[in-house]
């Protein structure tokens, strides 16, 4: 790194690393993502209702980093990352990797099924 690059990294409080290819500096490696406890994948154009994510976090005592929500396209592009509990809503592709999947809005019966499956998946680990 040049002195200016080093100063920039220090100013931004980023970890120092040596770049063998200075031309790639704008494309510095992103830190690896921590594996989520619960990963919820939503199908095209579907947003997770805020009350559902809040209820999941509260019921399972999770913080914001432990519950991750991804769009199905982003999940596929990322190489189909997994988690302790992998859930899917309104999926358009293969549902084999998922521990549980269904469609929004959830009926009371489906909410009960989700809760039973969560208990089985989450607390079995």
């Amino acid at each position: 790194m040049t002195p200016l690059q080093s100063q920039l990294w220090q100013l931004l409080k980023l970890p120092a690393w040596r770049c063998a290819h200075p031309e790639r500096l704008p494309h510095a490696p992103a830190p690896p993502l921590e594996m989520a406890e619960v990963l919820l994948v939503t199908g095209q154009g579907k947003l997770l209702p805020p009350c559902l994510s809040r209820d999941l976090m509260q019921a399972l005592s999770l913080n914001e980093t432990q519950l991750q929500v991804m769009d199905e396209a982003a999940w596929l592009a990322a190489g189909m990352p997994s988690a302790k509990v992998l859930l899917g809503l309104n999926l358009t592709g293969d549902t084999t990797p998922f521990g549980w999947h269904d469609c929004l809005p959830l009926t009371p019966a489906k909410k009960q099924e989700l809760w039973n499956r969560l208990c089985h998946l989450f607390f079995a680990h």
Side-chain angles (χ1 to χ4, degrees), residues 96-118:
T96 306
F98 294 87
W100 182 89
H101 62 89
D102 211 308
C103 292
L104 292 170
L106 294 176
T107 64
K110 290 297 180 180
K111 288 179 185 177
Q112 183 64 43
E113 182 185 324
L114 170 59
W115 180 250
N116 290 338
R117 196 68 183 136
L118 279 172

Side-chain angles (χ1 to χ4, degrees), residues 1 15-16 40-41 74 91 104:
M1 281 185 160
L40 209 151
V41 179
L91 299 173
L104 292 170

Side-chain angles (χ1 to χ4, degrees), residues 1-22 24-31:
M1 281 185 160
T2 67
L4 182 59
Q5 291 168 338
S6 295
Q7 289 173 356
L8 177 63
W9 280 96
Q10 291 170 0
L11 177 70
L12 296 174
K13 298 190 184 312
L14 296 172
W17 58 281
R18 293 206 171 269
C19 182
H21 303 278
R24 296 184 189 166
L25 188 62
H27 307 288

